[in-house]
Amino acid sequence: MSSSLSYEHKIINYSREELIELVKAAVSESRFEHILRVEKMALKLAEINHFDLEKTSIAALTHDYAKQRPDQDFIEEIHAKQLDPELLSANNAIWHGVVGAELIKDELGIWDEDILNAVRHHTTGNPEMSTLEQIIFMADYIEEGRTFDGVDKARALTFNNLRDGVQYQIKRTIQYLIERNKNVYPSAIDTYNAWVAK
Ligand SMILES: [Fe+2]
Ligand SMILES: [Fe+2]
């Protein structure tokens, strides 16, 4: 299915194959393979949820575009775009989404805000997430290469109801971090409060 998808140029004026080449050149081999698996899963979730396949493909292919950039690239972009100065105290996990979206505008010419928000919010989620944001958030979590305990349950929940999958991932991720005394990003807590807390 994914290999036969061809863009109708609603978002960008170049082809899926050209976008794939640009992404491939920006990341490692293993990261690139993950990105292709995320696209495959995202397209499946888009079909289940009757969502636009072209927008889904572009968001999936670009979600980790900036993952392997040096910290300095993000710091410069935060200054150049006058983004929230608090971002300067974050790290790659946050930057590759929130600041990565700016690099995607600059370097890939993608300006669709729904796609950019899906990239911005794919690490921590967000209190409000569109269908596309939920698709990318979940596809990243349950793509075929993932093997964590509970991934089968996560897939079953998500295929049945996208929002149930989102809730499951948010809760499981925060549980995992707390059990290991790891840092929880404030934005992940905001997401938890909006999606899970009663
Ligand atoms: Fe990522
Ligand atoms: Fe990813």
Side-chain angles (χ1 to χ4, degrees), residues 124-141:
T124 61
N126 198 55
E128 288 183 15
M129 279 192 276
S130 69
T131 299
L132 180 61
E133 290 178 74
Q134 293 175 51
I135 287 171
I136 300 304
F137 184 67
M138 289 318 301
D140 195 24
Y141 190 60

Side-chain angles (χ1 to χ4, degrees), residues 94 123-128 137 169-171 173-175 177-178 182-198:
I94 299 296
T123 305
T124 61
N126 198 55
E128 288 183 15
F137 184 67
Q169 178 183 174
I170 293 164
K171 186 171 174 178
T173 299
I174 290 203
Q175 272 178 335
L177 294 170
I178 287 172
K182 288 182 176 248
N183 183 59
V184 181
Y185 298 113
S187 49
I189 294 173
D190 291 341
T191 305
Y192 170 84
N193 284 332
W195 281 84
V196 183
K198 296 205 166 72

